[in-house]
Amino acid sequence: MKSLLTIENLKVAYPQRRLSGQQPNWAINDVSLTLQRGDRLGLVGESGCGKSTLGRAVMRLLPPSSQIEGSVNFDGQPVFEMNSSQVRKFRGEAVALIFQDPMTRLDPLMTIGKHCTETLLSHQPHLSAKQAKEKAIATLEAVSIPASRANQYPHEFSGGMRQRVAIALALLLNPKLIVADEPTTSLDVTIAAQILDELTRLCREREMALLLISHDLALVGKYCDRMGVMYQGSLVELNDSKSVLQQPQHEYTQSLLKAALRLHENDKKATVNKQERSPLLKTINLQQHYTIEPNLIERFFKEKEQTIKAVDNVNLELYQGEILGLVGESGCGKSTLSRTILQLIRPTGGKVQLQETELTTLSRQNLLQQRRQMQMVFQDPHACLNPMMTVGENIADPVLIHKLETPDFSASQQAMKMLERVGLVPAKEYYERYPSQLSGGQQQRCAIARAVITHPKLLICDEPVSMLDASIQAQVLDLMLELKQQFELTYLFITHDLFVARFLCDRIAVMQAGKIVEIGATEDIFNHPQHPYTQTLLKAAPLLARS
């Protein structure tokens, strides 16, 4: 039987300046594997190990001057020998790629529906506009995007919903192979389960193969027949998923599994004693509503404007030294709530109190003073670091903004100290690097250092480890716990990973459709969930077990 995808002795080196006689720095080093129709292969490994490079090599998406050795054959055809017209047909119709960051792949000036119909008509020009629209709507609905939202733009969607759009675009042309590069990183467990259930169903029904690139061992173990482990550009282990998870052979696989199991094991936490103290942070009936104006056609039919209640009368109390987890599906309002608390967007109604100071009525100048006390760590560290500034300058910047320099302790000296504290050593070397020269885990350490350098009381963390592999995830979470003790921090920790929340948080608040539907001690939420939605979340989460 002819294989669908065959990779033989593949080596890839990205463009770089090399001295005469110097060996290339191989991002992919002598990798061989095959995929049959209907196969589901998961690739796991730490950031920078070459997983995504392998996916891009299959799609012919490497930079033009990359050095490539070995071969990639798809359905018997050499991929590296295709001409430009063959490559255009190959991408989308034969192989589709789902990227990790959909916002960088979507045109901000095009509606979601237009993205879909344009893709369809470029490959299937025989379709009428009506047929293209009907197929686009059906595909969007298959990934839980209602037809009513097809006329909206990417910026009007949450990160998770944009990822669903990216998955819909990949499914439109019924490809033979889908290369999914971290497709559920920004999705909550229920939507991730729905998406992967849909992908695996399509694999079975259409004999479509899936190459799933992920840092989530439990997810790969649940949805993939086979698992490959990559380390420093090499494929160090390849076997059926059950064997890899239960009897890992390579030392690196064993360490990766140990780190992942640590997050999934039940490590009972003691809840912070609130006693009779006043909360550090309090929200009272907090609201954030958005209005969607009807378009020209909708106005003609006298349709009314829609109101989206992103945050709907939320009441929260967060106590000094506590870690409160906020979980819920993408689009439920978690990130909007965090930005409203920080007053990055002013609320529609309600109050936000930090140490009994009402933030919603403060002037811009007074709010800037309060912001020193509350900082944020974002999901994508690369997006929140200035690429034109060095790592050290990025970390020192808040010191200058808040005028925290002293004659004896300059901003650069404070940044050097924070670099050492978050494990980016030697600090002098990292100070001079740029964010693009750091791995994902190093970038997140940099972002955490930048947030902590003002010595805030409250740190709001919006999915800070969702883009990291298991071993780096564990390192960053340990760092956050250490910093919490050293700097007496309080965390509002937003995540869609229930096991990260269980590992880290004292209490968990569950959010659905803009409301807090359940809140309680972490172990109570896990062992005795009261709300049906909480029960659904827990049931959907893939569990990594020892046996």
Side-chain angles (χ1 to χ4, degrees), residues 274-281 318-320 355-356:
K274 294 182 283 188
Q275 299 176 349
E276 298 300 320
R277 292 179 292 136
S278 298
L280 173 72
L281 175 75
L318 184 55
Y319 292 83
Q320 180 69 44
Q355 293 180 313
E356 300 185 356

Side-chain angles (χ1 to χ4, degrees), residues 209 334 446:
K334 304 187 301 292
C446 177

Side-chain angles (χ1 to χ4, degrees), residues 345-362:
I345 45 177
R346 291 289 194 172
T348 308
K351 297 180 178 179
V352 179
Q353 296 175 352
L354 182 71
Q355 293 180 313
E356 300 185 356
T357 299
E358 175 55 47
L359 301 182
T360 58
T361 58
L362 292 180

Side-chain angles (χ1 to χ4, degrees), residues 438-471:
L438 304 184
S439 69
Q442 290 170 339
Q443 286 177 0
Q444 197 57 284
R445 286 173 183 266
C446 177
I448 291 169
R450 191 177 190 276
V452 173
I453 199 166
T454 65
H455 297 270
K457 298 285 185 186
L458 171 67
L459 207 59
I460 297 179
C461 309
D462 191 355
E463 303 278 11
V465 296
S466 68
M467 299 175 75
L468 307 177
D469 63 89
S471 55

Side-chain angles (χ1 to χ4, degrees), residues 310-327:
V311 176
D312 193 13
N313 289 315
V314 167
N315 294 286
L316 274 181
E317 291 185 349
L318 184 55
Y319 292 83
Q320 180 69 44
E322 181 182 32
I323 304 178
L324 175 63
L326 186 62
V327 303

Side-chain angles (χ1 to χ4, degrees), residues 320-321 456-458 482-490:
Q320 180 69 44
K457 298 285 185 186
L458 171 67
E482 291 169 13
L483 293 173
K484 175 182 177 292
Q485 295 298 322
Q486 181 177 346
F487 295 101
E488 298 180 345
L489 293 167
T490 302

Side-chain angles (χ1 to χ4, degrees), residues 29-33 43 54 228-231 233-238:
N29 193 4
D30 202 24
V31 168
S32 298
L33 59 86
L43 274 184
L54 187 64
V229 182
M230 292 197 68
Y231 179 62
S234 297
L235 190 63
V236 296
E237 191 154 351
L238 179 63

Side-chain angles (χ1 to χ4, degrees), residues 245-263:
L245 293 176
Q246 294 185 5
Q247 298 171 314
Q249 300 300 305
H250 195 272
E251 183 181 355
Y252 173 69
T253 311
Q254 293 166 2
S255 67
L256 200 62
L257 190 62
K258 184 179 179 182
L261 279 167
R262 185 174 165 225
L263 297 181

